[in-house]
Amino acid sequence: MLELRLVQGNLLKKVLEAVKDLVTDANFDCSSTGFSLQAMDSSHVALVALLLRSEGFEHYRCDRNVSMGMNLNNMAKMLKCAGNDDIVTIKADDGSDTVTFMFESPNQDKIADFEMKLMDIDSEHLGIPEAEYHAIVRMPSSEFARICKDLSSIGDTVVISVTKEGVKFSTRGDIGNANVVCRQNTTVDKPEESTTIEMHEPVSLTFALRYMNSFTKATPLSSTVTISLSSELPVVVEYKIAEMGYIRFYLAPKIED
Amino acid sequence: MQRQKSILSFFQRP
């Protein structure tokens, strides 16, 4: 028996919007730790890891570890039917081949049940080693989204370089090239508007903008994004989910042949 | 020429 009640049901709606274009089918794992997902895109270039900790749910019952295979587009369709202020409960019986999403309006005057078929998905859980990053950039998530969108109208790849000067996002394409430099800026009143750069070593890596743009669909989940870079390692683009956990996107770099 | 690395070349399969 599994029953997870999330008062902020719109978090789950936002999570689905953030991952459904990157990953088609995925197993959601439920354990005493929380509700999680790890999945790669079909080209095995990017990986998404989601964790919603059990403490973040108003009610969390998970009698045994379960893995539920879901088509993310279908799940998103169902969650779109929940109101933004609705309380969402995820329910599944042991051994059942369906999952039920229950939506309750805040004043309890409307209750809806949406039952979705589960699927068998063969997926490998990859071991993600702990890494020391050469540079960690924390910036407003809307700013990062804007940069990725702007640069993708010029080129297909982005070079992210971190030096003492700041973080530089560069692209080049047939019509020309573009560079956006963001400097550390902690003087603004609101911490969510600041940019901080923690650099141990300068680093410069190239990534496909198509994936970066896909990651920015998680922007509504968090006002800030953390970009962790190390040469020869996938970049980690992390959006913290307040009081609940995180969504992390890992993207393999492009390298010179 | 640039080549796209796979995420599988960084993270271990179980």
PDB file of all heavy atoms in Angstrom, chain A residues 81-105:
ATOM      1  N   CYS A  81      -5.047  18.065 -14.907  1.00  0.00           N
ATOM      2  CA  CYS A  81      -6.453  18.150 -14.498  1.00  0.00           C
ATOM      3  C   CYS A  81      -6.600  18.575 -13.047  1.00  0.00           C
ATOM      4  O   CYS A  81      -7.714  18.830 -12.584  1.00  0.00           O
ATOM      5  CB  CYS A  81      -7.143  16.805 -14.722  1.00  0.00           C
ATOM      6  SG  CYS A  81      -7.038  16.246 -16.420  1.00  0.00           S
ATOM      7  N   ALA A  82      -5.500  18.635 -12.306  1.00  0.00           N
ATOM      8  CA  ALA A  82      -5.551  19.107 -10.919  1.00  0.00           C
ATOM      9  C   ALA A  82      -5.495  20.623 -10.919  1.00  0.00           C
ATOM     10  O   ALA A  82      -4.779  21.220 -11.720  1.00  0.00           O
ATOM     11  CB  ALA A  82      -4.359  18.555 -10.128  1.00  0.00           C
ATOM     12  N   GLY A  83      -6.242  21.235 -10.027  1.00  0.00           N
ATOM     13  CA  GLY A  83      -6.176  22.685  -9.881  1.00  0.00           C
ATOM     14  C   GLY A  83      -4.855  23.070  -9.242  1.00  0.00           C
ATOM     15  O   GLY A  83      -4.228  22.251  -8.560  1.00  0.00           O
ATOM     16  N   ASN A  84      -4.448  24.309  -9.446  1.00  0.00           N
ATOM     17  CA  ASN A  84      -3.149  24.746  -8.916  1.00  0.00           C
ATOM     18  C   ASN A  84      -3.095  24.724  -7.395  1.00  0.00           C
ATOM     19  O   ASN A  84      -2.026  24.553  -6.814  1.00  0.00           O
ATOM     20  CB  ASN A  84      -2.822  26.146  -9.415  1.00  0.00           C
ATOM     21  CG  ASN A  84      -2.088  26.085 -10.744  1.00  0.00           C
ATOM     22  OD1 ASN A  84      -1.400  25.106 -11.033  1.00  0.00           O
ATOM     23  ND2 ASN A  84      -2.273  27.099 -11.556  1.00  0.00           N
ATOM     24  N   ASP A  85      -4.245  24.874  -6.738  1.00  0.00           N
ATOM     25  CA  ASP A  85      -4.265  24.872  -5.271  1.00  0.00           C
ATOM     26  C   ASP A  85      -4.692  23.516  -4.713  1.00  0.00           C
ATOM     27  O   ASP A  85      -4.863  23.373  -3.505  1.00  0.00           O
ATOM     28  CB  ASP A  85      -5.235  25.953  -4.758  1.00  0.00           C
ATOM     29  CG  ASP A  85      -4.858  27.330  -5.269  1.00  0.00           C
ATOM     30  OD1 ASP A  85      -3.647  27.576  -5.380  1.00  0.00           O
ATOM     31  OD2 ASP A  85      -5.762  28.133  -5.571  1.00  0.00           O
ATOM     32  N   ASP A  86      -4.894  22.557  -5.594  1.00  0.00           N
ATOM     33  CA  ASP A  86      -5.372  21.248  -5.136  1.00  0.00           C
ATOM     34  C   ASP A  86      -4.318  20.497  -4.327  1.00  0.00           C
ATOM     35  O   ASP A  86      -3.114  20.644  -4.552  1.00  0.00           O
ATOM     36  CB  ASP A  86      -5.764  20.367  -6.334  1.00  0.00           C
ATOM     37  CG  ASP A  86      -7.140  20.725  -6.880  1.00  0.00           C
ATOM     38  OD1 ASP A  86      -7.756  21.683  -6.369  1.00  0.00           O
ATOM     39  OD2 ASP A  86      -7.587  20.040  -7.824  1.00  0.00           O
ATOM     40  N   ILE A  87      -4.832  19.668  -3.417  1.00  0.00           N
ATOM     41  CA  ILE A  87      -3.986  18.721  -2.698  1.00  0.00           C
ATOM     42  C   ILE A  87      -3.967  17.448  -3.562  1.00  0.00           C
ATOM     43  O   ILE A  87      -5.028  16.979  -3.986  1.00  0.00           O
ATOM     44  CB  ILE A  87      -4.572  18.419  -1.307  1.00  0.00           C
ATOM     45  CG1 ILE A  87      -4.639  19.714  -0.483  1.00  0.00           C
ATOM     46  CG2 ILE A  87      -3.768  17.346  -0.580  1.00  0.00           C
ATOM     47  CD1 ILE A  87      -5.586  19.642   0.699  1.00  0.00           C
ATOM     48  N   VAL A  88      -2.778  16.930  -3.839  1.00  0.00           N
ATOM     49  CA  VAL A  88      -2.679  15.738  -4.688  1.00  0.00           C
ATOM     50  C   VAL A  88      -2.245  14.549  -3.835  1.00  0.00           C
ATOM     51  O   VAL A  88      -1.293  14.651  -3.053  1.00  0.00           O
ATOM     52  CB  VAL A  88      -1.676  15.971  -5.847  1.00  0.00           C
ATOM     53  CG1 VAL A  88      -1.445  14.697  -6.635  1.00  0.00           C
ATOM     54  CG2 VAL A  88      -2.177  17.070  -6.782  1.00  0.00           C
ATOM     55  N   THR A  89      -2.976  13.446  -3.958  1.00  0.00           N
ATOM     56  CA  THR A  89      -2.576  12.211  -3.278  1.00  0.00           C
ATOM     57  C   THR A  89      -2.303  11.145  -4.334  1.00  0.00           C
ATOM     58  O   THR A  89      -3.100  10.952  -5.254  1.00  0.00           O
ATOM     59  CB  THR A  89      -3.679  11.727  -2.313  1.00  0.00           C
ATOM     60  OG1 THR A  89      -3.972  12.781  -1.392  1.00  0.00           O
ATOM     61  CG2 THR A  89      -3.241  10.500  -1.536  1.00  0.00           C
ATOM     62  N   ILE A  90      -1.143  10.493  -4.203  1.00  0.00           N
ATOM     63  CA  ILE A  90      -0.778   9.398  -5.102  1.00  0.00           C
ATOM     64  C   ILE A  90      -1.058   8.108  -4.335  1.00  0.00           C
ATOM     65  O   ILE A  90      -0.583   7.932  -3.212  1.00  0.00           O
ATOM     66  CB  ILE A  90       0.716   9.468  -5.483  1.00  0.00           C
ATOM     67  CG1 ILE A  90       1.052  10.827  -6.110  1.00  0.00           C
ATOM     68  CG2 ILE A  90       1.107   8.334  -6.425  1.00  0.00           C
ATOM     69  CD1 ILE A  90       2.560  11.094  -6.243  1.00  0.00           C
ATOM     70  N   LYS A  91      -1.856   7.213  -4.943  1.00  0.00           N
ATOM     71  CA  LYS A  91      -2.229   5.981  -4.244  1.00  0.00           C
ATOM     72  C   LYS A  91      -1.998   4.771  -5.145  1.00  0.00           C
ATOM     73  O   LYS A  91      -2.277   4.824  -6.351  1.00  0.00           O
ATOM     74  CB  LYS A  91      -3.717   6.013  -3.873  1.00  0.00           C
ATOM     75  CG  LYS A  91      -4.038   6.990  -2.769  1.00  0.00           C
ATOM     76  CD  LYS A  91      -5.382   6.692  -2.123  1.00  0.00           C
ATOM     77  CE  LYS A  91      -6.533   7.223  -2.964  1.00  0.00           C
ATOM     78  NZ  LYS A  91      -7.800   7.190  -2.184  1.00  0.00           N
ATOM     79  N   ALA A  92      -1.511   3.697  -4.568  1.00  0.00           N
ATOM     80  CA  ALA A  92      -1.390   2.443  -5.314  1.00  0.00           C
ATOM     81  C   ALA A  92      -1.479   1.289  -4.334  1.00  0.00           C
ATOM     82  O   ALA A  92      -0.935   1.358  -3.225  1.00  0.00           O
ATOM     83  CB  ALA A  92      -0.069   2.396  -6.071  1.00  0.00           C
ATOM     84  N   ASP A  93      -2.195   0.242  -4.727  1.00  0.00           N
ATOM     85  CA  ASP A  93      -2.259  -0.961  -3.905  1.00  0.00           C
ATOM     86  C   ASP A  93      -1.097  -1.865  -4.280  1.00  0.00           C
ATOM     87  O   ASP A  93      -0.600  -1.820  -5.405  1.00  0.00           O
ATOM     88  CB  ASP A  93      -3.584  -1.694  -4.146  1.00  0.00           C
ATOM     89  CG  ASP A  93      -4.751  -0.930  -3.537  1.00  0.00           C
ATOM     90  OD1 ASP A  93      -4.555  -0.344  -2.458  1.00  0.00           O
ATOM     91  OD2 ASP A  93      -5.832  -0.900  -4.161  1.00  0.00           O
ATOM     92  N   ASP A  94      -0.688  -2.727  -3.341  1.00  0.00           N
ATOM     93  CA  ASP A  94       0.398  -3.668  -3.622  1.00  0.00           C
ATOM     94  C   ASP A  94       0.044  -4.515  -4.833  1.00  0.00           C
ATOM     95  O   ASP A  94      -1.053  -5.054  -4.922  1.00  0.00           O
ATOM     96  CB  ASP A  94       0.646  -4.572  -2.408  1.00  0.00           C
ATOM     97  CG  ASP A  94       1.359  -3.816  -1.296  1.00  0.00           C
ATOM     98  OD1 ASP A  94       1.872  -2.725  -1.579  1.00  0.00           O
ATOM     99  OD2 ASP A  94       1.391  -4.321  -0.163  1.00  0.00           O
ATOM    100  N   GLY A  95       0.986  -4.638  -5.733  1.00  0.00           N
ATOM    101  CA  GLY A  95       0.811  -5.519  -6.883  1.00  0.00           C
ATOM    102  C   GLY A  95      -0.141  -4.996  -7.945  1.00  0.00           C
ATOM    103  O   GLY A  95      -0.379  -5.663  -8.951  1.00  0.00           O
ATOM    104  N   SER A  96      -0.674  -3.810  -7.754  1.00  0.00           N
ATOM    105  CA  SER A  96      -1.626  -3.264  -8.721  1.00  0.00           C
ATOM    106  C   SER A  96      -0.890  -2.773  -9.975  1.00  0.00           C
ATOM    107  O   SER A  96       0.270  -2.381  -9.910  1.00  0.00           O
ATOM    108  CB  SER A  96      -2.382  -2.109  -8.082  1.00  0.00           C
ATOM    109  OG  SER A  96      -3.112  -1.410  -9.044  1.00  0.00           O
ATOM    110  N   ASP A  97      -1.603  -2.833 -11.107  1.00  0.00           N
ATOM    111  CA  ASP A  97      -0.968  -2.308 -12.317  1.00  0.00           C
ATOM    112  C   ASP A  97      -1.503  -0.917 -12.662  1.00  0.00           C
ATOM    113  O   ASP A  97      -1.404  -0.468 -13.799  1.00  0.00           O
ATOM    114  CB  ASP A  97      -1.135  -3.287 -13.489  1.00  0.00           C
ATOM    115  CG  ASP A  97      -2.597  -3.571 -13.786  1.00  0.00           C
ATOM    116  OD1 ASP A  97      -3.455  -3.069 -13.021  1.00  0.00           O
ATOM    117  OD2 ASP A  97      -2.888  -4.278 -14.763  1.00  0.00           O
ATOM    118  N   THR A  98      -2.053  -0.260 -11.646  1.00  0.00           N
ATOM    119  CA  THR A  98      -2.504   1.119 -11.840  1.00  0.00           C
ATOM    120  C   THR A  98      -2.072   1.980 -10.662  1.00  0.00           C
ATOM    121  O   THR A  98      -1.761   1.477  -9.589  1.00  0.00           O
ATOM    122  CB  THR A  98      -4.055   1.217 -11.945  1.00  0.00           C
ATOM    123  OG1 THR A  98      -4.626   0.756 -10.725  1.00  0.00           O
ATOM    124  CG2 THR A  98      -4.604   0.431 -13.131  1.00  0.00           C
ATOM    125  N   VAL A  99      -2.068   3.276 -10.908  1.00  0.00           N
ATOM    126  CA  VAL A  99      -1.811   4.256  -9.836  1.00  0.00           C
ATOM    127  C   VAL A  99      -2.965   5.257  -9.893  1.00  0.00           C
ATOM    128  O   VAL A  99      -3.490   5.527 -10.975  1.00  0.00           O
ATOM    129  CB  VAL A  99      -0.428   4.937 -10.023  1.00  0.00           C
ATOM    130  CG1 VAL A  99      -0.334   5.695 -11.344  1.00  0.00           C
ATOM    131  CG2 VAL A  99      -0.106   5.896  -8.869  1.00  0.00           C
ATOM    132  N   THR A 100      -3.373   5.740  -8.741  1.00  0.00           N
ATOM    133  CA  THR A 100      -4.466   6.710  -8.716  1.00  0.00           C
ATOM    134  C   THR A 100      -3.955   8.049  -8.210  1.00  0.00           C
ATOM    135  O   THR A 100      -3.224   8.116  -7.213  1.00  0.00           O
ATOM    136  CB  THR A 100      -5.609   6.219  -7.797  1.00  0.00           C
ATOM    137  OG1 THR A 100      -6.095   4.992  -8.329  1.00  0.00           O
ATOM    138  CG2 THR A 100      -6.754   7.225  -7.736  1.00  0.00           C
ATOM    139  N   PHE A 101      -4.317   9.093  -8.940  1.00  0.00           N
ATOM    140  CA  PHE A 101      -4.029  10.463  -8.491  1.00  0.00           C
ATOM    141  C   PHE A 101      -5.340  11.044  -8.007  1.00  0.00           C
ATOM    142  O   PHE A 101      -6.319  11.081  -8.755  1.00  0.00           O
ATOM    143  CB  PHE A 101      -3.478  11.306  -9.640  1.00  0.00           C
ATOM    144  CG  PHE A 101      -2.229  10.733 -10.263  1.00  0.00           C
ATOM    145  CD1 PHE A 101      -2.260  10.121 -11.511  1.00  0.00           C
ATOM    146  CD2 PHE A 101      -1.015  10.779  -9.578  1.00  0.00           C
ATOM    147  CE1 PHE A 101      -1.115   9.578 -12.075  1.00  0.00           C
ATOM    148  CE2 PHE A 101       0.134  10.239 -10.133  1.00  0.00           C
ATOM    149  CZ  PHE A 101       0.088   9.635 -11.382  1.00  0.00           C
ATOM    150  N   MET A 102      -5.361  11.455  -6.750  1.00  0.00           N
ATOM    151  CA  MET A 102      -6.581  12.046  -6.205  1.00  0.00           C
ATOM    152  C   MET A 102      -6.354  13.540  -6.009  1.00  0.00           C
ATOM    153  O   MET A 102      -5.336  13.943  -5.444  1.00  0.00           O
ATOM    154  CB  MET A 102      -6.915  11.388  -4.871  1.00  0.00           C
ATOM    155  CG  MET A 102      -8.279  11.768  -4.353  1.00  0.00           C
ATOM    156  SD  MET A 102      -8.662  10.813  -2.879  1.00  0.00           S
ATOM    157  CE  MET A 102      -8.043  11.894  -1.618  1.00  0.00           C
ATOM    158  N   PHE A 103      -7.284  14.328  -6.523  1.00  0.00           N
ATOM    159  CA  PHE A 103      -7.167  15.785  -6.411  1.00  0.00           C
ATOM    160  C   PHE A 103      -8.277  16.307  -5.511  1.00  0.00           C
ATOM    161  O   PHE A 103      -9.455  16.050  -5.757  1.00  0.00           O
ATOM    162  CB  PHE A 103      -7.300  16.448  -7.799  1.00  0.00           C
ATOM    163  CG  PHE A 103      -6.419  15.850  -8.865  1.00  0.00           C
ATOM    164  CD1 PHE A 103      -6.879  15.694 -10.167  1.00  0.00           C
ATOM    165  CD2 PHE A 103      -5.118  15.452  -8.563  1.00  0.00           C
ATOM    166  CE1 PHE A 103      -6.065  15.139 -11.156  1.00  0.00           C
ATOM    167  CE2 PHE A 103      -4.296  14.895  -9.553  1.00  0.00           C
ATOM    168  CZ  PHE A 103      -4.772  14.747 -10.843  1.00  0.00           C
ATOM    169  N   GLU A 104      -7.905  17.046  -4.471  1.00  0.00           N
ATOM    170  CA  GLU A 104      -8.900  17.638  -3.557  1.00  0.00           C
ATOM    171  C   GLU A 104      -8.768  19.151  -3.630  1.00  0.00           C
ATOM    172  O   GLU A 104      -7.657  19.684  -3.489  1.00  0.00           O
ATOM    173  CB  GLU A 104      -8.586  17.250  -2.109  1.00  0.00           C
ATOM    174  CG  GLU A 104      -8.763  15.804  -1.761  1.00  0.00           C
ATOM    175  CD  GLU A 104      -8.153  15.540  -0.391  1.00  0.00           C
ATOM    176  OE1 GLU A 104      -8.731  15.958   0.621  1.00  0.00           O
ATOM    177  OE2 GLU A 104      -7.073  14.935  -0.344  1.00  0.00           O
ATOM    178  N   SER A 105      -9.877  19.817  -3.812  1.00  0.00           N
ATOM    179  CA  SER A 105      -9.833  21.281  -3.796  1.00  0.00           C
ATOM    180  C   SER A 105      -9.549  21.726  -2.362  1.00  0.00           C
ATOM    181  O   SER A 105      -9.842  20.988  -1.416  1.00  0.00           O
ATOM    182  CB  SER A 105     -11.148  21.866  -4.294  1.00  0.00           C
ATOM    183  OG  SER A 105     -12.183  21.489  -3.423  1.00  0.00           O
TER     184      SER A 105
END
